[in-house]
């Protein structure tokens, strides 16, 4: 049995879709209503598609004040469990501290490490070999709430940010399925975070290396920056830049290539790794 | 060229190539992240640039649509 008569899912993309699908699949056992809220519009939003094709109640509420009011009104109807996944809406104090509301959030790092935004990029940029995901209860601060479950994953020497995110989304979905019914029963054995008072909370405006590298730096370091900034066509960050032959250039594409694959071409340069492999950079002059 | 594209797609996700329906996104086979992977893989393996304006659902919803998109870009 659960005290929650409403479950609200806020977010977009793969993990939100998988979470929504699982919540839907077990709803008959628990009797809660399901609401999906799209707070930010993204293309290819699998969660929205799932909600629409399965006729779940869904809303697009992109104004943060409207969303706050919406949540508070819903909380007047009974106990509300909010599942926040791939969601940039920061829940205000009056929502977090409402006695009828409990919020569970997915973070793409192993808290208390890398709180804040774009954690996969910082994990790669900081040279981590391991990172992971955390589901946690939300309190009034950013990413400080009690931990429900964590899963670990590896970062390899070629891992790009979007590849890491893909792995993390899968882990997040699996972890959610393991713990959801305990969350419903309020029977999770949580772990308090050991918080460093000087911890750094990454902002959305921060970019690894400020988006720039030194052309004379090692191929490994440059490659790590490029991989950390690489979300493919999601264009989360601007293209990385550097100064080359006195000109500012923007890296449009990069790839690790062998000496056999090297091809002299305008707007391409090759930086040796020192083991017969090269970092190919294709660039535009700014 | 078609064979090469299908091979690239299969490496990202075999289901993209075996799916016979109307929309890979509606079928839950493709999502925003896999779309990024598909585009990145095509760009890398075909050594082309796929402009962001091409990255829309209509161009990615089936393997045939993806092939058509690549042909337009190369031509």
């Amino acid at each position: 049995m659960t005290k929650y008569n409403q479950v609200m899912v806020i977010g977009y993309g793969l993990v939100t879709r998988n979470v929504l699908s699982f919540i839907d699949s077990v709803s008959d056992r628990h009797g809660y209503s399901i609401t999906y809220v799209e707070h930010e519009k993204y293309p290819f939003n699998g969660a929205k598609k799932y909600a629409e094709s399965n006729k779940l109640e869904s809303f697009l509420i992109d104004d943060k004040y409207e969303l706050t009011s919406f949540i508070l009104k819903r909380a007047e109807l009974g106990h509300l469990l909010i599942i926040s996944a791939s969601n940039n809406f920061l829940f205000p104090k009056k929502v977090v501290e409402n006695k009828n509301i409990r919020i569970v959030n997915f973070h793409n790092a192993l808290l208390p490490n890398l709180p804040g935004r774009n954690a996969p990029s910082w994990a790669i940029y900081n040279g981590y070999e391991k990172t992971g995901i955390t589901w946690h209860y939300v309190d009034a601060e950013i990413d400080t709430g009690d931990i429900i479950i964590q899963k670990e994953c590896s970062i390899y020497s070629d891992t790009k940010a979007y590849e890491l995110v893909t792995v993390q989304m899968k882990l997040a979905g699996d972890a959610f399925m393991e713990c959801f019914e305990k969350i419903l029963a309020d029977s999770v054995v949580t772990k308090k975070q050991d918080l460093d008072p000087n911890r750094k909370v990454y902002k959305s405006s921060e970019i690894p290396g400020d988006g720039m590298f030194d052309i004379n730096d090692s191929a490994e370091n440059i490659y790590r920056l490029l991989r950390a900034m690489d979300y493919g066509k999601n264009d989360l960050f601007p293209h990385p830049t550097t100064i080359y032959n006195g000109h500012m250039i923007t890296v449009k594409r990069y790839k690790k290539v062998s000496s056999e694959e090297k091809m002299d071409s305008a707007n391409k340069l090759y930086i040796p790794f020192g083991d017969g492999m090269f970092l190919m950079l294709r660039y535009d002059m700014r | 060229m078609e064979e090469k594209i299908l091979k690239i797609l299969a490496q990202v996700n075999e289901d993209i190539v075996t799916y016979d329906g109307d929309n890979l996104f509606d079928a839950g086979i493709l999502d925003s992240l896999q779309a990024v992977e598909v585009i990145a893989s095509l760009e890398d393996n075909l050594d082309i640039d796929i402009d962001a304006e091409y990255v829309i659902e209509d161009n990615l919803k089936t393997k045939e649509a993806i092939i058509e998109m690549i042909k337009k870009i190369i031509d």
Side-chain angles (χ1 to χ4, degrees), chain A residues 197-264:
Chain A
N198 298 317
R199 72 187 193 126
K200 175 166 177 53
V201 179
Y202 289 96
K203 299 189 180 70
S204 58
S205 55
E206 291 180 89
I207 304 174
D210 292 325
M212 289 191 66
F213 61 91
D214 181 346
I215 197 69
N216 297 309
D217 204 346
S218 69
E220 283 84 5
N221 286 348
I222 297 171
Y223 189 42
R224 193 169 63 246
L225 173 80
L226 297 176
R227 291 184 290 113
M229 290 180 66
D230 190 354
Y231 287 91
K233 284 289 185 280
N234 276 332
D235 283 339
L236 192 70
F237 295 129
H239 289 285
T241 59
T242 189
I243 306 285
Y244 177 57
N245 286 345
H247 298 284
M248 177 84 87
I249 62 169
T250 303
V251 176
K252 304 300 282 204
R253 191 110 63 81
Y254 68 97
K255 197 175 173 183
K256 213 170 174 182
V257 298
S258 65
S259 51
E260 290 80 28
E261 291 171 283
K262 277 177 72 181
M263 272 178 9
D264 282 335

Side-chain angles (χ1 to χ4, degrees), chain A residues 14 49 162 233 253 282, chain B residues 26 43 48-50 57:
Chain A
L14 178 63
K49 281 185 180 287
Y162 72 83
K233 284 289 185 280
R253 191 110 63 81
R282 192 157 66 67
Chain B
D26 289 346
E43 284 186 321
I48 57 172
D49 283 329
I50 299 174
E57 187 167 321

Side-chain angles (χ1 to χ4, degrees), chain B residues 28-73:
Chain B
I29 293 170
L30 270 192
D31 56 58
S32 52
L33 280 173
Q34 284 240 292
V36 165
E37 222 175 315
V38 163
I39 295 295
S41 212
L42 289 166
E43 284 186 321
D44 265 351
N45 286 285
L46 300 174
D47 199 21
I48 57 172
D49 283 329
I50 299 174
D51 204 85
E53 67 179 10
Y54 285 98
V55 184
I56 57 173
E57 187 167 321
D58 274 351
N59 285 347
L60 298 172
K61 64 184 181 182
T62 61
K63 57 184 179 285
E64 292 82 9
I66 295 168
I67 289 168
E68 266 317 297
M69 173 187 70
I70 298 299
K71 281 181 179 171
K72 270 191 206 140
I73 291 168

